Amino acid sequence: MLLSEIGTTGQKRLADATAVVIGVGALGCTAAGNLARMGVGNIKVVDRDRIELNNLHRQILFDARDIDQPKAVVAAKRLKAINPDIKITPILKDVNFSNIELIIKDATVVVDGTDNMETRFLINDVCVKHDIPWVYGGAIGTYGMTFTIIPHKTPCFRCFMHNIPAAGALPTCDTVGVLNAIPIIIGAIESVEALKIIIGNNELNRSLLMYDVWKHDFQSVQILKNNQCKCCVEHDFEFLHVKKRAIVTALCGRNTVQITPIQRGEISLRELYNKLQRLGDVKLTKFTVIFKLPNYELTIFKDGRAMIHGTADENLAKSLYAKYVGA
Ligand SMILES: [Zn+2]
């Protein structure tokens, strides 16, 4: 409140706002942590993954005790401990076209903590459709970038990224690594952009900011609105309006395929555990069943989603899913 840029009015706006942080990896941990400390009244943290050892050097809400726990649940617990006076909602889901509108419908701002382009295009479609500002962020190796999108006022994400790059075309944190400071810097910038959006400040980042923390190379690239943009001009929300029964995604560089059934209620993890016990090494936790085969490992969540580790072959993953979880 002492800071003249915010003041008591700004602080009140923060308390009334809802921020949705999609993905609580390194960017999301930093951004969500800052937003909680700033006093944003409602924060939703959305993530589909569980915590792995190789996350701990950069994902600052987690520590060694949390390995194998769901990121959304642990993040919510830590954020609540940081600021008990705000409301935190963990959402342990894969964000996709079937659920994203429900997840972000009451958002004042959406913060990108994802690690993949497909979800960013989807966020862009939905935020433009519903006129919700969002902050893009990405980091890899020693560099990162961020861009702030106010639908119909600034260029959108698709104005400069016309289509999803081909699979394998982009490096990933799992193929080239990431220096911990860079997503923390970018996540911090994202949190400040979200803050400015919430309090109604106009001094937003209007360009694509790129920073290399190793070389100290800082660039600010002007982005122009594309007058033929499929998303913000033609309103053709093709990432939102797809029709599929299940979403099968090979997670690039991770030798893992994710399978997300679209229309399916919650499954009984206990029953699944009992069923799989006869077939191999299986572990039941509060949120998952982890089933180990000689060459593969399946992590199955309550909503029927599964991660098939040990293969990048989508068809093989689908058949393992059908075999052990049920199609
Ligand atoms: Zn656009």
Side-chain angles (χ1 to χ4, degrees):
M1 284 187 271
L2 279 178
L3 199 66
S4 63
E5 285 84 350
I6 300 175
T8 47
T9 314
Q11 194 63 56
K12 170 85 175 57
R13 285 186 182 160
L14 287 169
D16 293 337
T18 298
V20 179
V21 180
I22 301 186
V24 270
L27 296 164
C29 276
T30 303
N34 281 2
L35 294 171
R37 288 173 205 274
M38 287 170 187
V40 172
N42 296 282
I43 302 176
K44 290 188 195 175
V45 281
V46 194
D47 200 288
R48 64 190 181 191
D49 246 331
R50 56 188 172 124
I51 297 159
E52 295 174 58
L53 178 66
N54 67 42
N55 299 153
L56 297 186
H57 78 292
R58 65 189 190 279
Q59 301 185 9
I60 58 173
L61 293 176
F62 311 135
D63 63 48
R65 295 166 301 178
D66 305 321
I67 288 171
D68 284 343
Q69 300 292 316
K71 289 185 182 179
V73 174
V74 177
K77 198 167 74 182
R78 297 286 142 74
L79 295 171
K80 197 73 193 163
I82 288 167
N83 189 345
D85 296 329
I86 59 175
K87 187 180 168 208
I88 314 280
T89 311
I91 301 176
L92 174 52
K93 282 202 160 117
D94 174 48
V95 172
N96 59 55
F97 67 89
S98 73
N99 59 22
I100 188 166
E101 287 183 287
L102 196 62
I103 290 171
I104 70 162
K105 71 172 174 12
D106 51 359
T108 318
V109 60
V110 174
V111 178
D112 172 22
T114 68
D115 60 356
N116 68 87
M117 285 295 169
E118 193 159 349
T119 310
R120 292 182 180 119
F121 278 94
L122 180 64
I123 294 171
N124 191 58
D125 269 6
V126 179
C127 285
V128 170
K129 183 178 171 190
H130 295 283
D131 240 324
I132 299 169
W134 75 283
V135 187
Y136 155 66
I140 185 104
T142 61
Y143 66 92
M145 61 206 74
T146 178
F147 183 63
T148 301
I149 293 132
I150 312 294
H152 307 113
K153 292 204 176 85
T154 67
C156 82
F157 190 67
R158 250 194 127 172
C159 283
F160 70 97
M161 276 274 197
H162 297 195
N163 255 314
I164 296 185
L170 295 178
T172 74
C173 289
D174 296 280
T175 55
V176 303
V178 57
L179 185 66
N180 57 6
I182 191 63
I184 292 170
I185 292 168
I186 298 294
I189 297 174
E190 289 187 82
S191 71
V192 178
E193 290 297 296
L195 161 71
K196 288 190 271 186
I197 288 166
I198 291 169
I199 67 173
N201 182 289
N202 281 324
E203 294 159 278
L204 293 162
N205 164 32
R206 302 286 192 197
S207 59
L208 179 66
L209 282 187
M210 296 193 281
Y211 181 54
D212 188 318
V213 69
W214 199 265
K215 298 181 180 130
H216 292 300
D217 178 29
F218 187 87
Q219 293 184 38
S220 175
V221 178
Q222 200 194 350
I223 300 293
L224 298 175
K225 188 178 169 81
N226 171 6
N227 290 325
Q228 274 124 41
C229 179
K230 278 204 156 177
C231 181
C232 71
V233 177
E234 293 180 9
H235 288 189
D236 174 7
F237 303 122
E238 59 185 338
F239 293 90
L240 181 61
H241 297 149
V242 283
K243 293 270 173 278
K244 289 181 193 169
R245 283 182 55 227
I247 303 170
V248 182
T249 325
L251 304 182
C252 183
R254 292 178 50 179
N255 209 25
T256 299
V257 176
Q258 175 178 258
I259 297 185
T260 311
I262 301 302
Q263 282 157 334
R264 172 162 207 166
E266 292 217 331
I267 61 172
S268 162
L269 293 179
R270 164 69 59 183
E271 275 176 28
L272 182 64
Y273 169 78
N274 291 342
K275 185 173 90 174
L276 294 176
Q277 250 186 335
R278 280 166 279 141
L279 304 171
D281 180 7
V282 61
K283 193 171 128 194
L284 176 67
T285 75
K286 199 170 157 199
F287 303 99
T288 57
V289 166
I290 300 168
F291 180 53
K292 286 192 171 79
L293 289 163
N295 299 315
Y296 311 104
E297 186 179 308
L298 283 69
T299 304
I300 305 115
F301 298 83
K302 269 188 205 156
D303 60 0
R305 185 167 59 84
M307 307 272 243
I308 321 288
H309 311 278
T311 181
D313 180 336
E314 296 183 5
N315 288 325
L316 173 65
K318 272 198 271 189
S319 71
L320 289 169
Y321 184 92
K323 194 167 168 189
Y324 296 109
V325 186

